[in-house]
PDB file of all heavy atoms in Angstrom:
ATOM      1  N   GLY E1106      -3.098  14.762 -13.171  1.00 60.00           N
ATOM      2  CA  GLY E1106      -4.010  13.665 -13.439  1.00 60.00           C
ATOM      3  C   GLY E1106      -4.152  12.705 -12.271  1.00 60.00           C
ATOM      4  O   GLY E1106      -5.024  11.865 -12.277  1.00 60.00           O
ATOM      5  N   GLY E1108      -5.254  11.527  -8.658  1.00 49.00           N
ATOM      6  CA  GLY E1108      -6.415  11.896  -7.868  1.00 49.00           C
ATOM      7  C   GLY E1108      -7.701  11.779  -8.657  1.00 49.00           C
ATOM      8  O   GLY E1108      -8.754  12.120  -8.181  1.00 49.00           O
ATOM      9  N   GLY E1109      -7.635  11.265  -9.862  1.00 51.00           N
ATOM     10  CA  GLY E1109      -8.830  11.065 -10.673  1.00 51.00           C
ATOM     11  C   GLY E1109      -8.903   9.629 -11.152  1.00 51.00           C
ATOM     12  O   GLY E1109      -8.106   8.791 -10.757  1.00 51.00           O
ATOM     13  N   ARG E1110      -9.838   9.371 -12.050  1.00 54.00           N
ATOM     14  CA  ARG E1110      -9.976   8.009 -12.570  1.00 54.00           C
ATOM     15  C   ARG E1110      -8.878   7.655 -13.561  1.00 54.00           C
ATOM     16  O   ARG E1110      -8.423   6.545 -13.624  1.00 54.00           O
ATOM     17  CB  ARG E1110     -11.339   7.835 -13.228  1.00 54.00           C
ATOM     18  CG  ARG E1110     -12.462   7.852 -12.238  1.00 54.00           C
ATOM     19  CD  ARG E1110     -13.787   7.677 -12.954  1.00 54.00           C
ATOM     20  NE  ARG E1110     -14.855   7.844 -12.019  1.00 54.00           N
ATOM     21  CZ  ARG E1110     -15.654   6.856 -11.658  1.00 54.00           C
ATOM     22  NH1 ARG E1110     -15.490   5.665 -12.154  1.00 54.00           N
ATOM     23  NH2 ARG E1110     -16.604   7.072 -10.794  1.00 54.00           N
ATOM     24  N   MET E1111      -8.454   8.614 -14.356  1.00 50.00           N
ATOM     25  CA  MET E1111      -7.430   8.362 -15.366  1.00 50.00           C
ATOM     26  C   MET E1111      -6.068   8.735 -14.800  1.00 50.00           C
ATOM     27  O   MET E1111      -5.782   9.893 -14.562  1.00 50.00           O
ATOM     28  CB  MET E1111      -7.729   9.187 -16.618  1.00 50.00           C
ATOM     29  CG  MET E1111      -9.056   8.852 -17.265  1.00 50.00           C
ATOM     30  SD  MET E1111      -9.094   7.180 -17.924  1.00 50.00           S
ATOM     31  CE  MET E1111      -8.050   7.366 -19.328  1.00 50.00           C
ATOM     32  N   ARG E1112      -5.220   7.734 -14.590  1.00 49.00           N
ATOM     33  CA  ARG E1112      -3.873   7.984 -14.073  1.00 49.00           C
ATOM     34  C   ARG E1112      -2.876   7.755 -15.197  1.00 49.00           C
ATOM     35  O   ARG E1112      -2.155   6.767 -15.222  1.00 49.00           O
ATOM     36  CB  ARG E1112      -3.587   7.061 -12.898  1.00 49.00           C
ATOM     37  CG  ARG E1112      -4.444   7.376 -11.711  1.00 49.00           C
ATOM     38  CD  ARG E1112      -3.977   6.565 -10.508  1.00 49.00           C
ATOM     39  NE  ARG E1112      -4.853   6.807  -9.417  1.00 49.00           N
ATOM     40  CZ  ARG E1112      -5.819   5.973  -9.031  1.00 49.00           C
ATOM     41  NH1 ARG E1112      -6.013   4.863  -9.659  1.00 49.00           N
ATOM     42  NH2 ARG E1112      -6.574   6.283  -8.002  1.00 49.00           N
ATOM     43  N   ASN E1176      -7.147   8.585  -4.610  1.00 89.00           N
ATOM     44  CA  ASN E1176      -8.058   9.399  -5.423  1.00 89.00           C
ATOM     45  C   ASN E1176      -8.235  10.820  -4.901  1.00 89.00           C
ATOM     46  O   ASN E1176      -8.449  11.739  -5.683  1.00 89.00           O
ATOM     47  CB  ASN E1176      -9.436   8.737  -5.552  1.00 89.00           C
ATOM     48  CG  ASN E1176      -9.450   7.653  -6.601  1.00 89.00           C
ATOM     49  OD1 ASN E1176      -8.528   7.550  -7.406  1.00 89.00           O
ATOM     50  ND2 ASN E1176     -10.479   6.834  -6.574  1.00 89.00           N
TER      51      ASN E1176
END
Side-chain angles (χ1 to χ4, degrees):
R1110 291 180 186 247
M1111 299 294 287
R1112 293 188 184 101
N1176 280 346

